[in-house]
Amino acid sequence: MTEYNIQALVRDLAFAVLIATAMSMLLLLGELDLSVGANASLSGVLAGTLMVQHGVPAFLAFVIGALLGGVFGAINGILVAGLRLNSLVVTIGMTGVYSGIALVLTKGKAITGIPEEILFLGKGTFFGIPIPFIVAAVVLLLALAVLRWTPIGRYVYAIGNSAEASRLIGIRVDRIRVLLFASVGTVAGLAGMLYVARLGSSQTSIGGEWAINGIAAAVIGGIALTGGTGSPLGGAIGAAIISVISNLIVLFGVNVYWQSAVSGIVVVLAISLGSFSAMRRARRERMIKTRDAAAEPLKVGV
């Protein structure tokens, strides 16, 4: 509970919440994006190159980096929606593409010399709260507002429950898919730029575990992998659980490589509990229907 450890935990939690929020939105749609980490890495590399090698103003390059993430996300969405491809397969492939381009541009070396005027975005605080965490909270609130109070939010839940039924009632399913993928890419790009500001350099290793941890957080937070059920708030809570577990692993001196194993075990347990709950709910519904069907002749007779 030291101030230093809490600051470190909250700063790490910011990136986990950003990715978990983005992944939650996509999972509600019934889709996945495993390229968010590679997207963040490439966005950071391109923006870092603009700042350091081409003299583009730091804040402008920061914004360009986030927007490039949106472009990469939109490309994923177009491939999925336009060509009717499986999002899991597409984003696995695009992970290789984005990572490969980043490695070609940097030759595997970090881009140093990031201008100091943007470093406060990754390292600074506002009234003691790390700025990345404030950004993550704003993104989460925006996601919740969109889902709660806009037609797009209702469309996301409808498509997640049944894409074909959504098409029949006039929802432009493919357009919503591309929009969501682009939004997720923008959040990934923003997270990548905040991490560049935190490190003071652009590195190809940024975002290595973000996709898996984002999915894990969403599942732990109660979002169904089949879509249509859950909330980004649950994903944020799941991210907090994973971050605290990771922090405890470090504090107790456990080998850090156990972090992935522990996260995997938590995900499997969360999925198992969700499946068990769904089976119990389905069994209860069948019992109610059977009881009502058996009682129906008695009502007619009376």
Side-chain angles (χ1 to χ4, degrees):
M1 294 300 293
T2 63
E3 181 181 354
Y4 175 81
N5 187 60
I6 292 174
Q7 283 277 344
L9 176 60
V10 171
R11 201 175 296 274
D12 287 337
L13 178 58
F15 298 96
V17 169
L18 276 170
I19 300 303
T21 299
M23 197 66 75
S24 297
M25 294 285 286
L26 209 50
L27 283 171
L28 288 174
L29 197 67
E31 305 288 354
L32 282 171
D33 187 350
L34 297 181
S35 69
V36 288
N39 182 337
S41 174
L42 180 56
S43 299
V45 164
L46 291 173
T49 301
L50 291 175
M51 294 181 209
V52 176
Q53 298 180 11
H54 300 285
V56 175
F59 287 103
L60 176 59
F62 187 98
V63 173
I64 290 174
L67 294 178
L68 283 172
V71 172
F72 301 143
I75 292 172
N76 293 344
I78 291 170
L79 291 173
V80 171
L83 300 180
R84 298 290 189 272
L85 300 178
N86 183 281
S87 60
L88 177 65
V89 176
V90 168
T91 55
I92 288 175
M94 295 310 290
T95 297
V97 172
Y98 300 147
S99 297
I101 294 174
L103 288 169
V104 168
L105 292 174
T106 62
K107 297 180 176 58
K109 300 177 181 178
I111 299 175
T112 57
I114 300 298
E116 291 188 6
E117 56 260 38
I118 68 165
L119 297 186
F120 79 95
L121 293 172
K123 300 179 179 181
T125 61
F126 184 74
F127 290 105
I129 303 173
I131 289 177
F133 186 81
I134 295 173
V135 174
V138 170
V139 170
L140 175 60
L141 291 174
L142 285 174
L144 292 173
V146 167
L147 290 174
R148 174 88 178 179
W149 291 305
T150 70
I152 292 176
R154 293 190 289 274
Y155 298 161
V156 167
Y157 280 104
I159 295 169
N161 280 290
S162 175
E164 292 305 317
S166 298
R167 282 195 179 92
L168 291 175
I169 62 174
I171 296 175
R172 297 183 177 182
V173 174
D174 293 339
R175 180 176 294 183
I176 298 297
R177 279 186 176 137
V178 174
L179 177 62
L180 259 292
F181 271 101
S183 300
V184 168
T186 302
V187 173
L190 174 61
M193 292 310 303
L194 288 171
Y195 216 85
V196 167
R198 179 182 182 181
L199 297 176
S201 63
S202 296
Q203 302 180 13
T204 57
S205 60
I206 290 175
E209 300 292 329
W210 284 3
I212 300 302
N213 288 339
I215 294 172
V219 171
I220 292 170
I223 295 177
L225 290 173
T226 53
T229 302
S231 167
L233 181 59
I237 293 172
I241 292 172
I242 292 177
S243 295
V244 169
I245 290 173
S246 300
N247 186 259
L248 289 173
I249 287 174
V250 174
L251 293 180
F252 282 113
V254 179
N255 190 324
V256 70
Y257 296 116
W258 278 103
Q259 179 177 337
S260 295
V262 172
S263 297
I265 291 171
V266 172
V267 172
V268 171
L269 287 174
I271 294 174
S272 301
L273 289 173
S275 177
F276 179 70
S277 297
M279 287 189 293
R280 286 189 61 187
R281 187 163 53 249
R283 189 183 304 117
R284 186 164 57 249
E285 291 174 355
R286 285 196 301 269
M287 290 176 61
I288 292 173
K289 289 180 180 179
T290 302
R291 183 190 63 195
D292 292 345
E296 189 65 26
L298 296 177
K299 293 180 180 178
V300 172
V302 174

